[in-house]
Amino acid sequence: METKEERIARRHRERDKEMKSSPGYVTFSIMFTLAYPFIAIFTFVMSTLLSCLSGISRAMAWVVSGGSSK
């Protein structure tokens, strides 16, 4: 006789198996795998741009404050 926990675990495994075999899951997995390099490059470019603009802003604040701003 299977316990309640085992029954719940079995149902979760069955649900996960069904979900992973669905066309939507497969499509999403393929698209995410193909898009991941572009996502990574976009994130790197935006982070670099933000860092540069932040540096410019800090430099302008330092100049405007007469060199006393940290």
Side-chain angles (χ1 to χ4, degrees), residues 3 17 33 50 53:
T3 66
K17 186 178 177 184
T33 302
L50 181 64
L53 293 175

Side-chain angles (χ1 to χ4, degrees), residues 6-49:
E6 291 170 338
R7 189 170 57 250
I8 291 170
R10 178 178 49 79
R11 287 180 183 164
H12 281 225
R13 283 191 304 273
E14 289 170 359
R15 185 190 63 203
D16 290 347
K17 186 178 177 184
E18 284 179 33
M19 179 191 69
K20 288 183 179 181
S21 65
S22 70
Y25 183 89
V26 173
T27 303
F28 177 81
S29 295
I30 292 169
M31 294 303 290
F32 185 80
T33 302
L34 293 174
Y36 192 81
F38 300 104
I39 295 168
I41 291 169
F42 176 80
T43 302
F44 175 76
V45 168
M46 287 297 142
S47 296
T48 304
L49 181 63

